[in-house]
Amino acid sequence: MVLRPSALRSALRRLRRPPADVWTIWRRRALFLAGGISVGLAAVLMAWAADAAQAGFHGLLDLSPWLALIICPAGFGLAAWLARAVFPNSQGSGIPQVIAARALDDPEARHALVSLKVAAGKVTVMVMGLLCGASIGREGPTVQVGAAIMAAFGRLSPERARVLLLAGGAAGVSAAFNTPLAGIVFAIEELGRAYDSRGSGLIVAAIVTAGLTSLAILGDYTYFGTSEAKLSLATGWLAVPLVGGAGGLLGGLFSRTVIAVARGLPGRIGAGIARYPIAFATLCGLGVALCGLASGGTIYGTGYEEARAILHGESQAQADFAPLKFLATLLSSISGIPGGLFAPSLAVGAGLGAEAGLLLPQVPIGALVLIGMVAYLTGVLQAPITAFVIVTEMTQNHAMMIPLMLAALIADAVSKSVCRGGLYHALAEVLVLRAATVPER
């Protein structure tokens, strides 16, 4: 078959992109590079502030662990009030805000989710949450802050707004964990399911720039330290479906609960939460304090130190660590205070893997912990590729890649049978619906 000249010209036009002028090309590149540097600096500052806040909280508990019964409820209540009254749209992880902002066409509605004011409030209230013992991470907030920074640069190029938001969020993941590959995967799998390949080069540039900025200040490091754990080809593989299924089930239950609370529970309980959100947050803070007292203080904060110690065999996780960390993270998430889920989820997964060691004592504990991390994180996010890539980069353990992939697939299938729809996208739908119901001025 021979194409007609007109059909041939039409087909070639669809294949060839119109050339952009040199000034436009370099302006776009400069925006992404400057934004990447800014995101990297913000990620470093957030890491320092988060560590200082956690240290301050533990310093107070050194005086008396019972102080948590005062600090946690009061801090949760104040943080929830600030997130609602002073810095609206700073609640929760921050990743749903970025997804919702990319979905919205109205510039004002988009700006309300990813403005620099929201970013400043996110950091302020997140640090306050860690200062009062909340089981939250800084990675989700870094994504929203990164997107807000890129959105600010995007005012010079409004036609690239969605790509800039995607780049800012992905750069936030890269700089927060020192995991550039995970930043790229996260951008494709979670932030931008309708991915625009034309901006891929600029997104990678922003991720690399943010990562290099973080490396220049903090140095080259592996988030959880290098792990050499391996899985035997015999009984060890039994851990993959066992821990993978358990992680997917628990992660799916977590997500389903958070989504249900965000959409509004039925009956008097839901009405009470909607009417008295600050009181509800205060009660959540009390619940976190009780979990902390029951665990001996191990469930407060991000859980990074505990997960790292379990992974490297430096300490043995208590049998109640995983369930108490799960409950504390759930209470922190539904309270309405700003905070991410990555680090606490990895801590829950580490505890889950350690508990699996009681059933499979012949399997190296390090391998079980890695499988537990990937399985539970996948169960929560329903983003299996992101989960196993980020854990692999965090530990530089490539020998476990195939078992981690399989565990992620199993966990994803189990989680989806419990909770339909990913957590972040379901929460983003709530934000979009809320934006659509705001009356015009």
Side-chain angles (χ1 to χ4, degrees):
M1 182 180 67
V2 179
L3 292 177
R4 296 178 180 178
S6 58
L8 178 62
R9 286 194 297 270
S10 178
L12 290 176
R13 276 199 302 269
R14 285 193 290 268
L15 290 174
R16 297 171 182 170
R17 289 181 294 174
D21 61 89
V22 175
W23 162 245
T24 301
I25 293 173
W26 281 105
R27 185 187 66 177
R28 290 176 180 173
R29 291 177 179 176
L31 283 176
F32 279 79
L33 292 176
I37 293 173
S38 301
V39 174
L41 290 172
V44 171
L45 292 175
M46 290 176 70
W48 285 344
D51 291 342
Q54 290 188 97
F57 177 73
H58 285 290
L60 293 173
L61 293 191
D62 288 340
L63 301 175
S64 173
W66 296 98
L67 285 174
L69 293 174
I70 300 174
I71 297 173
C72 293
F76 270 61
L78 178 58
W81 177 80
L82 288 173
R84 292 179 65 87
V86 183
F87 303 108
N89 292 318
S90 67
Q91 301 98 319
S93 161
I95 295 173
Q97 284 90 332
V98 178
I99 296 173
R102 295 190 72 246
L104 291 169
D105 292 323
D106 183 8
E108 290 187 9
R110 184 186 302 148
H111 180 71
L113 294 172
V114 288
S115 68
L116 290 179
K117 178 185 176 182
V118 171
K122 190 80 172 189
V123 177
T124 302
V125 188
M126 178 206 72
V127 171
M128 179 179 294
L130 289 170
L131 191 58
C132 67
S135 180
I136 54 177
R138 55 178 170 81
E139 301 77 24
T142 307
V143 170
Q144 188 177 9
V145 170
I149 291 172
M150 281 295 201
F153 281 99
R155 293 186 172 231
L156 301 175
S157 184
E159 73 279 2
R160 309 293 290 178
R162 286 186 170 87
V163 178
L164 283 161
L165 289 173
L166 186 62
V173 172
S174 170
F177 284 128
N178 188 28
T179 52
L181 182 57
I184 296 170
V185 172
F186 185 70
I188 297 173
E189 186 177 35
E190 191 64 19
L191 289 180
R193 293 186 177 178
Y195 188 60
D196 183 4
S197 61
R198 291 175 297 176
S200 59
L202 297 175
I203 292 170
V204 172
I207 291 170
V208 171
T209 306
L212 288 175
T213 303
S214 176
L215 287 175
I217 299 173
L218 301 178
D220 192 8
Y221 68 96
T222 305
Y223 189 82
F224 278 122
T226 302
S227 170
E228 298 180 356
K230 295 181 180 179
L231 202 63
S232 66
L233 294 177
T235 56
W237 279 81
L238 180 61
V240 175
L242 177 66
V243 181
L249 177 62
L250 288 174
L253 289 173
F254 177 93
S255 296
R256 184 166 182 169
T257 304
V258 173
I259 293 170
V261 174
R263 288 175 175 171
L265 295 175
R268 293 183 178 180
I269 295 178
I273 294 173
R275 187 173 182 180
Y276 304 106
I278 310 305
F280 176 70
T282 303
L283 289 176
C284 289
L286 178 60
V288 170
L290 293 174
C291 290
L293 290 171
S295 69
T298 60
I299 58 86
Y300 297 120
T302 63
Y304 163 76
E305 295 291 344
E306 290 77 13
R308 182 186 176 102
I310 296 170
L311 173 63
H312 294 286
E314 297 170 1
S315 69
Q316 187 174 1
Q318 298 297 321
D320 59 357
F321 173 74
L324 288 174
K325 185 65 176 176
F326 172 90
L327 182 57
T329 307
L330 180 61
L331 290 171
S332 300
S333 298
I334 65 176
S335 68
I337 69 173
L341 295 173
F342 276 75
S345 295
L346 292 170
V348 174
L352 180 65
E355 290 188 10
L358 300 176
L359 299 175
L360 302 168
Q362 71 278 14
V363 182
I365 191 66
L368 289 172
V369 169
L370 291 177
I371 295 171
M373 285 180 170
V374 169
Y376 183 75
L377 185 61
T378 299
V380 172
L381 304 183
Q382 294 186 6
I385 302 176
T386 297
F388 77 75
V389 168
I390 205 168
V391 171
T392 299
E393 278 196 287
M394 284 177 169
T395 59
Q396 290 297 307
N397 188 321
H398 300 283
M400 286 287 295
M401 185 171 289
I402 298 300
L404 295 184
M405 287 182 183
L406 183 55
L409 291 175
I410 294 171
D412 186 53
V414 174
S415 176
K416 286 177 177 176
S417 69
V418 177
C419 176
R420 294 185 178 180
L423 172 64
Y424 292 141
H425 284 263
L427 296 179
E429 288 180 7
V430 174
L431 293 172
V432 170
L433 291 173
R434 188 179 300 163
T437 57
V438 174
E440 297 183 2
R441 296 181 180 179

